Amino acid sequence: MPHALTLISHPLCPYVQRAAIALAEKGIAFERIDIDLADKPAWFLQISPLGKTPVLLVDGQPVFESAVVCEYLDETFLPRLHPEDALARARHRGWMEFGSAVLNAIGALYGAPDEAALAVRAGDLRRLFVQVEAQLSDRAEAGPYFAGSDFTLVDAVFGPVFRYFDVFDRIGDFGVFTGLPRVAAWRTALAARPSVAGAVGADYGDRLRAFLHARQGALAERARAMPPPAPAAAMPA
Amino acid sequence: MPHALTLISHPLCPYVQRAAIALAEKGIAFERIDIDLADKPAWFLQISPLGKTPVLLVDGQPVFESAVVCEYLDETFLPRLHPEDALARARHRGWMEFGSAVLNAIGALYGAPDEAALAVRAGDLRRLFVQVEAQLSDRAEAGPYFAGSDFTLVDAVFGPVFRYFDVFDRIGDFGVFTGLPRVAAWRTALAARPSVAGAVGADYGDRLRAFLHARQGALAERARAMPPPAPAAAMPA
């Protein structure tokens, strides 16, 4: 009997997108319920011990933590998005965790109080992507994905990572990807993948800009200094 | 052919202990190399992209991130420490991540600048263990471990968590486990498990006290106010 799957989500959460991408790659139907992370409903806190999205409900049973949701999906539904070899799979899992460290560095970029701190934190981000570039150089195949021609869970992690920069690039040139051609090509390939593109709503960019506008710090200040999006783009469809 | 396994470690690192416990439970021989996390060797930074312990070298190939090391070991060597059922396994993996959140809360306890902050952060820790108590109440079996009579990877995560409190209990009563009998019994059972007891050196308590003494903050101040360990205990064996 097929499982009834519900993904408890937030429209901007990059961890939710990992699960949504894995589900799309496997062609699995699921219901998506967005919650307000600024005002978490009581039923959500009952199923998410750390109060974080995503939670995947499998016939009503909660699976929490994005990496855990991805592993569950990969063990349960074909096609496999992890390598078959245990050591290769461990390497992929390690680089998924590395993707979480990149997300933390993006959070630190948001939190930079002034332009000097912003430059330091952009440099931290760049150093992480220099390590990614070295990994991509070690591929047996040319690409376009993390391990070559097959889309994997590492790709599902980095698709949402790169998506932030589609908004950041309009705010300023932070030099994060300068001189990193394999990372830049990977970013382009992931943006074109239907599962990655479809993991967020059409209003994602506007939502992220609105989120940035409402914050403190140097990045928010730069975002507020930009012209607002054209009215048509800001209107709900 | 058996693999040559080397665990790159630090004497106090709770994440290293997870791997050491899993290796011991599986009866696997391995070499352990301690490094100085305050002065990381260049060869270590080459194999640990985020500069963290543990790294498991498998015939020279690095596996990084503690959860990834545990999964690799569990997929490669018997006996399995994860449940056979995919949904139960996902639940276990989620509670392993919860154990990492408890470690972060212990780090926040260290960082409390004054007694008021110390009390707040002890309360945060207690709230996490209240959630653990509820999980233990839901067990089909009575214990003594997370899932009943079988030792699992969740136990390997919480053994090192509880070990901190053996030192904290000598510094003060923070009320973290008051009224949580199942958590208290689990703590006792884990301390008695040979794999857990053997995952650190005999000088662990002295090392953790020395680490605390050297820090800023309310917990360090309390630790410094205590009488030093007896000379015999402070001497290398």
Side-chain angles (χ1 to χ4, degrees), chain A residues 49-50 58 61 63-65 68 71-72 75-76 86-87 89-90 93-95 97-98 101 128 131, chain B residues 49-50 58 61 63-65 68 71-72 75-76 86-87 89-90 93-95 97-98 101 128 131:
Chain A
L50 297 169
V58 182
Q61 294 289 311
V63 176
F64 64 98
E65 286 295 316
V68 176
E71 295 291 334
Y72 171 78
E75 290 175 347
T76 310
L87 203 51
R89 190 161 57 247
R93 286 175 174 148
W95 284 97
E97 287 295 319
F98 192 91
L128 293 173
Q131 291 179 272
Chain B
L50 297 170
V58 182
Q61 295 289 313
V63 176
F64 64 98
E65 288 293 317
V68 177
E71 295 291 336
Y72 171 77
E75 290 174 348
T76 310
L87 203 52
R89 191 161 55 248
R93 286 176 174 146
W95 285 96
E97 287 296 319
F98 192 91
L128 292 173
Q131 290 179 274

Side-chain angles (χ1 to χ4, degrees), chain A residues 71-94:
Chain A
E71 295 291 334
Y72 171 78
L73 292 172
D74 209 42
E75 290 175 347
T76 310
F77 303 101
L78 293 173
R80 287 299 304 266
L81 300 174
H82 262 328
E84 278 305 310
D85 175 69
L87 203 51
R89 190 161 57 247
R91 187 174 151 269
H92 278 229
R93 286 175 174 148

Side-chain angles (χ1 to χ4, degrees), chain B residues 7 9 13-28 30 32 54 56 69-70 73 156 163 194-196 198-200:
Chain B
L7 187 64
S9 306
C13 175
Y15 296 95
V16 165
Q17 293 174 48
R18 299 176 177 186
I21 292 167
L23 285 158
E25 289 290 335
K26 291 165 183 286
I28 307 167
F30 67 101
R32 181 168 174 155
L56 182 71
V69 170
C70 288
L73 292 172
R163 195 191 310 276
S195 66
V196 174
V200 294

Side-chain angles (χ1 to χ4, degrees), chain A residues 101-126:
Chain A
V102 177
L103 290 173
N104 289 341
I106 289 173
L109 195 76
Y110 285 155
D114 53 40
E115 284 288 327
L118 193 63
V120 168
R121 294 179 191 182
D124 292 341
L125 261 171
R126 182 181 164 72

Side-chain angles (χ1 to χ4, degrees), chain B residues 13-236:
Chain B
C13 175
Y15 296 95
V16 165
Q17 293 174 48
R18 299 176 177 186
I21 292 167
L23 285 158
E25 289 290 335
K26 291 165 183 286
I28 307 167
F30 67 101
E31 185 187 9
R32 181 168 174 155
I33 296 178
D34 285 326
I35 62 155
D36 182 357
L37 285 173
D39 182 20
K40 296 171 188 171
W43 63 263
F44 173 68
L45 294 171
Q46 285 291 327
I47 59 171
S48 180
L50 297 170
K52 298 193 296 187
T53 51
V55 173
L56 182 71
L57 291 173
V58 182
D59 301 327
Q61 295 289 313
V63 176
F64 64 98
E65 288 293 317
S66 70
V68 177
V69 170
C70 288
E71 295 291 336
Y72 171 77
L73 292 172
D74 209 42
E75 290 174 348
T76 310
F77 303 101
L78 294 173
R80 288 298 305 265
L81 299 174
H82 262 327
E84 278 305 310
D85 175 70
L87 203 52
R89 191 161 55 248
R91 187 174 151 268
H92 278 230
R93 286 176 174 146
W95 285 96
M96 291 171 72
E97 287 296 319
F98 192 91
S100 299
V102 176
L103 289 173
N104 289 341
I106 289 173
L109 195 76
Y110 283 157
D114 53 39
E115 284 288 327
L118 193 63
V120 167
R121 294 179 190 182
D124 292 342
L125 261 171
R126 181 180 165 72
R127 269 184 293 281
L128 292 173
F129 281 110
V130 166
Q131 290 179 274
V132 174
E133 180 80 11
Q135 283 301 307
L136 297 177
S137 304
D138 284 349
R139 277 182 301 210
E141 297 179 51
Y145 301 118
F146 178 73
S149 55
D150 288 337
F151 188 94
T152 69
L153 285 176
V154 184
D155 297 291
V157 166
F158 276 82
V161 166
F162 288 125
R163 195 191 310 276
Y164 280 98
F165 292 90
D166 298 342
V167 168
F168 295 167
D169 280 353
R170 295 178 51 180
I171 297 175
D173 179 5
F174 302 101
V176 170
F177 303 120
T178 310
L180 305 177
R182 290 174 189 83
V183 171
W186 190 26
R187 176 185 174 186
T188 303
L190 289 179
R193 185 85 176 181
S195 66
V196 174
V200 294
D203 59 353
Y204 173 87
D206 291 338
R207 279 183 181 270
L208 183 56
R209 276 183 288 275
F211 171 81
L212 273 176
H213 276 238
R215 285 181 65 98
Q216 304 293 320
L219 195 67
E221 207 158 305
R222 282 207 198 193
R224 282 191 293 270
M226 289 175 57
M235 296 275 286

